[in-house]
Amino acid sequence: MATVKKLLNRMTRDERLTGAVLCSVDGMILAKSDALPKEIDCKDSVTKASAQDPVLVSSAQLLLHEAVFPVMDGDRALAYLMLLHDTSYMSRRHETTRKYLVFLIIGLSAAFSILTLFVYRWSTSRSMNKLKSIFRGLISGEVTKFDEVLRAAELSPIARDLSKVMRELRRAKDIVKDADANLTWTPS
């Protein structure tokens, strides 16, 4: 039984397992791990194992899940191996996963916000530079440069309105030139 006890102790090195015990068919403890809680009784566990329902046992401040497996020789049960799983491990892992997931979402949100801000600044600065060149062209009277800038795809909504304004300005400029040509100043 010493080798069985060593095997049970080796099994309980896993942080998810709290204890392991080998019980006889009569409900007597044959071998147990050193970490087995004192509240665990083989008699109750063996009778509950036959019902095949999940069994939760509270021990100290832990909630333990009992898993009972029959050790069979053909059709005859020789003993029962009972493993006690610490259910707080699952809740700790759940909390850790949730914490990391929240940090991941916050990090991705911040990264996308910064990326969106850079794209907005970049696209706005290009559009603003084009609009500035349009108004410089309007002021200086360089109409050819103005027409090239208006053909840009991102300025097409503004281009229609500005082309109407430009046509009206050209028409007004032509009218003023014709009126100035007909007027000649004489010192009389």
Side-chain angles (χ1 to χ4, degrees):
M1 285 294 162
T3 57
V4 174
K5 184 174 181 172
K6 285 181 185 178
L7 180 65
L8 294 177
N9 281 329
R10 194 174 332 148
M11 288 171 59
T12 58
R13 287 184 195 160
D14 185 2
E15 65 182 18
R16 294 170 286 191
L17 287 178
T18 303
V21 63
L22 187 64
C23 301
S24 69
V25 179
D26 303 333
M28 302 297 295
I29 295 177
L30 299 175
K32 65 178 186 171
S33 65
D34 295 333
L36 185 72
K38 294 176 181 140
E39 296 88 10
I40 302 305
D41 185 26
C42 276
K43 289 180 185 177
D44 292 336
S45 300
V46 169
T47 56
K48 291 177 186 175
S50 60
Q52 301 213 351
D53 290 330
V55 179
L56 293 176
V57 179
S58 57
S59 167
Q61 296 158 347
L62 298 176
L63 186 62
L64 303 173
H65 174 261
E66 282 185 358
V68 180
F69 303 100
V71 178
M72 304 292 285
D73 180 27
D75 292 339
R76 189 172 63 105
L78 298 176
Y80 290 97
L81 174 66
M82 181 173 34
L83 301 176
L84 298 169
H85 297 91
D86 184 7
T87 57
S88 66
Y89 171 79
M90 292 180 284
S91 63
R92 284 192 314 264
R93 192 168 186 176
H94 181 291
E95 288 299 319
T96 304
T97 304
R98 185 171 26 175
K99 181 176 63 172
Y100 286 136
L101 190 60
V102 166
F103 287 142
L104 177 70
I105 290 171
I106 289 171
L108 285 175
S109 299
F112 284 132
S113 297
I114 291 170
L115 181 67
T116 303
L117 181 67
F118 282 134
V119 168
Y120 170 76
R121 299 278 286 183
W122 176 71
S123 65
T124 304
S125 67
R126 285 184 48 204
S127 299
M128 291 305 291
N129 286 337
K130 287 185 180 183
L131 282 176
K132 285 178 187 177
S133 68
I134 288 173
F135 289 119
R136 280 190 206 113
L138 277 174
I139 293 171
S140 66
E142 297 175 13
V143 179
T144 58
K145 199 178 212 183
F146 174 73
D147 289 336
E148 290 172 7
V149 173
L150 280 181
R151 289 188 189 116
E154 66 260 6
L155 297 177
S156 62
I158 298 172
R160 281 182 254 128
D161 295 335
L162 284 177
S163 63
K164 287 179 187 176
V165 170
M166 283 302 295
R167 274 187 260 135
E168 290 177 20
L169 284 175
R170 285 185 202 139
R171 203 175 305 135
K173 186 178 178 183
D174 292 339
I175 291 172
V176 169
K177 279 186 185 178
D178 289 341
D180 282 343
N182 292 338
L183 292 177
T184 55
W185 183 78
T186 56
S188 40

